[in-house]
C-alpha cells in the first residue's frame, strides 16, 4: 500500500502539563490543538470514552482501572488488581534475584463498558494476566529449549458503583485464557451480532515460534485452542448449567454438542485492535494485527472465518514463499528457519487449502519483496551483525471514525502505531469492505501510541502512550528520544481538511531526479551503524548505488548512474 501526506509541524517533545496546548497540522490541512491531559501512568493499555464523559483507562503494569476527567486531568482509581496477580513485578526485580523471569506482554489489558453502564447494567469487563507457570521454578521460568513462557489470563465482569466510585462484585467469565510474555493481543469490545450485544476478545498466537517462545507450538490454526483467535462471549449469562458455559454463546461456530467454545475466528497473529462500526448500512467488526517483518494487517472479522496465520502472511501474494513468520539462530529448533512456525511453501497454495473460510486482509501495510525478506530471515538465522531493519508499524489498536466533524474523515479506520509513533488513517469504501485511500499519517513524534478513544461528536481524539520505550519483535524499535511516557494526549479538531480523501494510488511515483534527491537525504541522515544495516538489507545490485550517495560529490557519470537506479534504491530503502 502506498503511504503519503506526511504530517508537518508536530513538536518532538511533550508539553509540560495539561494546561499547555500546541497547534499541529494534518496532511490534508487539518488543524488540531494538542494537550497532555495526564502523564506518568503505568503503561496505559486501554482508554475508553465512557457515557459519563470521563476517560476510563487500564494500566497494564500498574494493574489499576481509573476514570480521568478529560478537562482537568484529575484521576480516580476505581480498582487495584495488583493483589490478584500471582507473580511479582518482574520488570522491577533484578535478574540476579528472579533469574531473569519475564513480564507478560501487557498485564491488565482490555476494558469494555456495557452500553447501558449508567442505565441499569453497570457492567465493566476486564482481562488481566494472573498466573505464571514458571513463577516458582529456578532460572527464568521458561520451558526448556526455548519452549516458551506460559502465563494464564482471566476475563472478569465487575459492577460499577457510581456512589462509592468503585468496581465491585466480580464474576469470572473465563479463567483459562492462555497467555505469554509475547503476542497476547488483549483487546475487548462489545459489539452487536443480529441485533444482540456480545463481548469479543482477541488472543494472540503468544509469540509461539519466535524469541524465547521459538520452540512453543503454534496453535493459531487449531480451532480447539484459544491461541491466535478472536473469542466471543455473552455479556450476561445464559441458562447453561456450567459455570463458564453460561458465558459462551450456544451458536458460536466451533461449539459442538456438549463442548462449548468461545472461538469466533482463527488464524490471527497479534490482533491488538478491535473496532465495530456500521458502514454502508451494515455492521462490521474490524481487527488490526502486527505482521512479523512486514504485512501488518487490517481484517474484516467474520463468524468462523480463517485469517491465515501462520500459513499466509498478509495477502496471499507469495512474498513469504519458502520463508516463515520468524527465524532464529537456535539450530535445535525445527525446520530450515529454526522455529515452530511452519515453513510456507506457497502462500497461494495454503490459502487454497484453507478453503472457502480463508479471508485476505482488507489492507496489508508495506508488504516486502521475497528477496528482501529472505535476506532478513537468513541474517537473523546467522545472527549477523548486519541484520537489516524493516518497515513495520506495529499497530496497537483500531477505531472507526464515524462522525462528520472532520471533513473527509467519516468511515475511516484510525490505527495508532508503536514502532514509529503515528496515527494512520485509511478511508474505507462506501460499503466498508475495502480500503479506498492511500495511507495518511498524523501526529507523528517520538512516542509509542498504545490506544485511541474519541469523543462522541468526533472533535476530540485521545491517544494513550506507553511508559516503557520498547517491547519486542517488530515493535522493538522505539522512536528516538521517546517523549511523554505513560500519557493521555488530547487532539482537538479546530479547522481545515478536505471533504474528500485522495483515492488510493493518487500519490504519483517520484521522477528519477526526485528519487535521487529523496534517497540521498535518507542515506546521509543515517548514522554509520545504521548505514551498514541499511546497506546490508539492499539487493546486491543496489549496494554500489548506496555507496555513491555517501560520497561528498559525484562526477557527471556517477550522478547519471545513480539517477537511473534511484527509484529502485528508494523503494529498497523504504522497505526497511
Amino acid at each position: 500500500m502506498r503511504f503519503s501526506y506526511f504530517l508537518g509541524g508536530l513538536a518532538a517533545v511533550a508539553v509540560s502539563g495539561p494546561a499547555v496546548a500546541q497547534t499541529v497540522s494534518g496532511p490534508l490541512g487539518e488543524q488540531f490543538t494538542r494537550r497532555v491531559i495526564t502523564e506518568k501512568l503505568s503503561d496505559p493499555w486501554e482508554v475508553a470514552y465512557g457515557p459519563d464523559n470521563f476517560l476510563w483507562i487500564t494500566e497494564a503494569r500498574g494493574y489499576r482501572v481509573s476514570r480521568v476527567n478529560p478537562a482537568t486531568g484529575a484521576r480516580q482509581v476505581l480498582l487495584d488488581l495488583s493483589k490478584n496477580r500471582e507473580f511479582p513485578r518482574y520488570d522491577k526485580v533484578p535478574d540476579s534475584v528472579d533469574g531473569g523471569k519475564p513480564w507478560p506482554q501487557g498485564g491488565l489489558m482490555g476494558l469494555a463498558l456495557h452500553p447501558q453502564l449508567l442505565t441499569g447494567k453497570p457492567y465493566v469487563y476486564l482481562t488481566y494476566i494472573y498466573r505464571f507457570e514458571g513463577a516458582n521454578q529456578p532460572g527464568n521460568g521458561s520451558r526448556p529449549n526455548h519452549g516458551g513462557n506460559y502465563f494464564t489470563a482471566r476475563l472478569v465482569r465487575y459492577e460499577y458503583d457510581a456512589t462509592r466510585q468503585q468496581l465491585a462484585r466480580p464474576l469470572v467469565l473465563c479463567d483459562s485464557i492462555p497467555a505469554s510474555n509475547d503476542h497476547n493481543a488483549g483487546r475487548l469490545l462489545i459489539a452487536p451480532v443480529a441485533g444482540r450485544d456480545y463481548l469479543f476478545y482477541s488472543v494472540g498466537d503468544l509469540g509461539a515460534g519466535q524469541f524465547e517462545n521459538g520452540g512453543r507450538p503454534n496453535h493459531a490454526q487449531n480451532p480447539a485452542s484459544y491461541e491466535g483467535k478472536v473469542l466471543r462471549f455473552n455479556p450476561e449469562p445464559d441458562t447453561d448449567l456450567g459455570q463458564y458455559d453460561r458465558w459462551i454463546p450456544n451458536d458460536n461456530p466451533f461449539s459442538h454438542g456438549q463442548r462449548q467454545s468461545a472461538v469466533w475466528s482463527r488464524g490471527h497473529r497479534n490482533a491488538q485492535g478491535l473496532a465495530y462500526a456500521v458502514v454502508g448500512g451494515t455492521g462490521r467488526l474490524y481487527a488490526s494485527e502486527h505482521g512479523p517483518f512486514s504485512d501488518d494487517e487490517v481484517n474484516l472479522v467474520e463468524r468462523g472465518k480463517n485469517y491465515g496465520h501462520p500459513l499466509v502472511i498478509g495477502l496471499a501474494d507469495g512474498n513469504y514463499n519458502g520463508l516463515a513468520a520468524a527465524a532464529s539462530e537456535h539450530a535445535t529448533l525445527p525446520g530450515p528457519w529454526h522455529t515452530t512456525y511452519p515453513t510456507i511453501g506457497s502462500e497461494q497454495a495454503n490459502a487454497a487449502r484453507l478453503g472457502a473460510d480463508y479471508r485476505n486482509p482488507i489492507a496489508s501495510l508495506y508488504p516486502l519483496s521475497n528477496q528482501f525478506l529472505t535476506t532478513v530471515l537468513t541474517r537473523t538465522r546467522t545472527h549477523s551483525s548486519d541484520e537489516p531493519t524493516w518497515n513495520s508499524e506495529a499497530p496497537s489498536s483500531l477505531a472507526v471514525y464515524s462522525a462528520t466533524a472532520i471533513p473527509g474523515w467519516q468511515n475511516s479506520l484510525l490505527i495508532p502505531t508503536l514502532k514509529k509513533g503515528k496515527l494512520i488513517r485509511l478511508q474505507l469504501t462506501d460499503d466498508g469492505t475495502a480500503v479506498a485511500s492511500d495511507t495518511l499519517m498524523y501526529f507523528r513524534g517520538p512516542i509509542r501510541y498504545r490506544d485511541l478513544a474519541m469523543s462522541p461528536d468526533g472533535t476530540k481524539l485521545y491517544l494513550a502512550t506507553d511508559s516503557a520505550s520498547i517491547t519486542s519483535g517488530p515493535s522493538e524499535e522505539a522512536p528516538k528520544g521517546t517523549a511523554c511516557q505513560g500519557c493521555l494526549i488530547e487532539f482537538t479538531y479546530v479547522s481545515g481538511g478536505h471533504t474528500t480523501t485522495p483515492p488510493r494510488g493518487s500519490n504519483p511515483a517520484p521522477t528519477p531526479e526526485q528519487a535521487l534527491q529523496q534517497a540521498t537525504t535518507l542515506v546521509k541522515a543515517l548514522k554509520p551503524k545504521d548505514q551498514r544495516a541499511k546497506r546490508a538489507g539492499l539487493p546486491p545490485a543496489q549496494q554500489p548505488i548506496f555507496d555513491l550517495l555517501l560520497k561528498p560529490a559525484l562526477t557527471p557519470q556517477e550522478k547519471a548512474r545513480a539517477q537511473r537506479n534511484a527509484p529502485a534504491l528508494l523503494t529498497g530503502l523504504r522497505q526497511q
Side-chain angles (χ1 to χ4, degrees), residues 180 261 273 307 403 418 457 486 498:
S180 173
S261 171
Y307 295 85
L418 296 172
D457 64 1
H498 296 294

Side-chain angles (χ1 to χ4, degrees), residues 22 92 111 137 232 256 323 484 538 560:
Q22 298 168 303
K92 291 183 175 292
L111 171 148
Q137 296 176 7
R232 186 178 73 150
H256 302 293
L323 306 175
C484 206
L538 293 169

Side-chain angles (χ1 to χ4, degrees), residues 19 34 64 170 178 181 189 252 288 303 338 403 482 534 549:
R34 176 187 185 272
R64 291 183 294 266
N181 68 316
L189 176 74
N252 270 2
S288 62
R303 169 192 168 88
H338 306 158
T482 300
K534 286 282 188 182
L549 302 193

Side-chain angles (χ1 to χ4, degrees), residues 117-200:
L117 179 75
L118 303 181
T119 55
K121 296 187 177 180
Y123 304 136
V124 176
Y125 304 86
L126 300 169
T127 304
Y128 63 91
I129 295 169
Y130 70 98
R131 180 178 296 158
F132 176 40
E133 174 190 83
N136 298 316
Q137 296 176 7
N140 63 13
S142 300
R143 293 191 181 180
N145 194 27
H146 312 283
N149 298 284
Y150 282 72
F151 290 81
T152 308
R154 61 164 59 109
L155 172 60
V156 189
R157 190 187 78 178
Y158 283 82
E159 293 186 25
Y160 173 49
D161 186 330
T163 302
R164 300 176 62 190
Q165 290 294 292
Q166 291 180 352
L167 294 179
R169 295 179 287 280
L171 283 175
V172 177
L173 282 64
C174 183
D175 67 354
S176 58
I177 298 173
S180 173
N181 68 316
D182 203 7
H183 289 191
N184 285 320
R187 287 291 168 209
L188 274 175
L189 176 74
I190 292 179
V193 176
R196 179 180 173 184
D197 284 333
Y198 292 93
L199 183 66
F200 291 89

Side-chain angles (χ1 to χ4, degrees), residues 30 67 175 192 231 294 339 376 419 439 493 544 574:
E30 306 97 329
R67 288 170 74 242
D175 67 354
L231 309 180
S294 64
T339 171
V376 172
K419 188 174 177 184
T439 306
Y493 172 71
R574 284 177 169 172

